[in-house]
Amino acid sequence: MTTTSPATGLTAPRPRGGIVGSAKDSLVIARRNLLRMSRIPEVIVFGLVQPVMFVVLFSYVFGGSIAVGGSTSPQAYREFLMAGIFAQTVTFATAGAGAGIADDMHKGLIDRFRSLPMARGAVLTGRTLADLVQTTLTLVVLAVVALLVGWRTHTSLVEVLAGFALLLLLGYAFSWIGALIGLSVRTPEAATSGGLIWLFPLTFISNAFVPSENMPPFLRTIAEWNPFSATVQAARVLFGNLPEGYPVPDAWPMQHPVVASVLWSVLIIVGFRTLAVRKYRSANA
């Protein structure tokens, strides 16, 4: 009697299914990225230098020169400014997220992850979660520096924490834009450039550093509907940093900044996560 052995062949590992499995895989990848970041502390240190310089330079060079709500007080401008600096810091982390993913792609690490039985979106989710942790640490240090130069809040602790939560939510949303850029370019250098080139107009055509009322009508409309501006305005409201007499624009996002900030961030996460995961799958098919 003869037996026939079933044909054997190489097949791709089956990814874990379900939300729980995907969450576990994402946390494993996040831990891996955090360990790698901890072994390169200069990346974190250099990431702190730019926002600290912005705080000091804007506070002491422009403080007293820009009128906010009819006041040219340096203290009024410092309190007005800080929400913009915080928002700029969390969004500029986008370039780092894109460069990190592009570096993994360039070194073939993504291909190795693909050979493992893990959820396809876990690699990107883990990376963005690790970037969120790093951004949180940066924001804590930046808040301490802001307090040293005279920034103060005038609301409850819950409202202040809610303001920082909105800032981190925006940063997490923008990290998915960075993930898509990192998957779309060939080198980490290109990802860094691609991650910054659009951030400068986004952050400066906003209410981050100057009141939008002083802009030409066309730019003022863009600034008032800018998702970045909505989060900055929401943070100022929750921190109690809007000066007395500051004219709130009539645009809906400026009238309801907290709701607008959440809506913009959620839409960006859903849209760009979908595009990034789709790009990841096609890039490694």
Side-chain angles (χ1 to χ4, degrees):
M1 180 177 178
T2 59
T3 58
T4 303
S5 300
T8 59
L10 296 176
T11 58
R14 179 174 298 177
R16 296 182 188 179
I19 297 177
V20 175
S22 179
K24 289 181 178 179
D25 292 340
S26 299
L27 291 176
V28 170
I29 297 297
R31 181 176 179 274
R32 172 254 174 194
N33 281 285
L34 288 172
L35 286 174
R36 187 174 68 169
M37 290 175 185
S38 67
R39 291 167 184 165
I40 315 175
E42 55 268 26
V43 174
I44 300 175
V45 173
F46 292 152
L48 287 170
V49 171
Q50 179 178 310
V52 170
M53 288 178 59
F54 269 108
V55 170
V56 176
L57 291 175
F58 273 85
S59 297
Y60 292 104
V61 175
F62 295 104
S65 301
I66 298 177
V68 180
S71 172
T72 56
S73 165
Q75 180 63 24
Y77 182 67
R78 287 191 190 107
E79 294 190 357
F80 176 86
L81 169 71
M82 284 316 306
I85 296 291
F86 290 151
Q88 184 190 56
T89 300
V90 300
T91 53
F92 270 45
T94 300
I101 291 175
D103 187 50
D104 288 344
M105 290 280 291
H106 183 68
K107 293 178 178 177
L109 189 61
I110 297 296
D111 291 333
R112 278 180 273 171
F113 282 142
R114 186 173 178 267
S115 68
L116 299 175
M118 64 168 57
R120 290 291 178 249
V123 173
L124 302 180
T125 302
R127 174 73 207 198
T128 54
L129 288 175
D131 290 329
L132 179 62
V133 173
Q134 182 179 355
T135 301
T136 302
L137 295 175
T138 302
L139 204 56
V140 170
V141 174
L142 194 59
V144 173
V145 175
L147 290 171
L148 293 176
V149 300
W151 173 66
R152 296 293 182 269
T153 59
H154 307 284
T155 52
S156 67
L157 177 62
V158 173
E159 290 173 298
V160 171
L161 293 177
F164 281 114
L166 288 180
L167 290 165
L168 290 173
L169 181 62
L170 180 71
Y172 182 69
F174 275 48
S175 68
W176 281 106
I177 301 178
L180 181 61
I181 293 173
L183 291 168
S184 303
V185 298
R186 297 181 180 180
T187 64
E189 293 79 11
T192 301
S193 299
L196 289 176
I197 194 170
W198 60 275
L199 278 174
F200 279 102
L202 183 80
T203 55
F204 281 95
I205 305 178
S206 72
N207 59 0
F209 307 113
V210 295
S212 59
E213 64 187 51
N214 299 326
M215 298 180 182
F218 175 69
L219 290 181
R220 183 168 65 244
T221 301
I222 295 175
E224 291 170 354
W225 285 88
N226 186 341
F228 184 84
S229 294
T231 299
V232 171
Q233 186 79 353
R236 286 183 181 135
V237 170
L238 292 169
F239 294 156
N241 286 161
L242 282 179
E244 290 186 14
Y246 178 78
V248 179
D250 293 332
W252 185 87
M254 298 296 99
Q255 293 288 332
H256 307 86
V258 175
V259 177
S261 175
V262 173
L263 288 177
W264 272 121
S265 295
V266 170
L267 286 174
I268 292 171
I269 291 172
V270 172
F272 280 91
R273 186 185 189 280
T274 301
L275 293 174
V277 172
R278 184 177 300 171
K279 182 70 176 178
Y280 170 80
R281 289 174 175 170
S282 64
N284 291 278

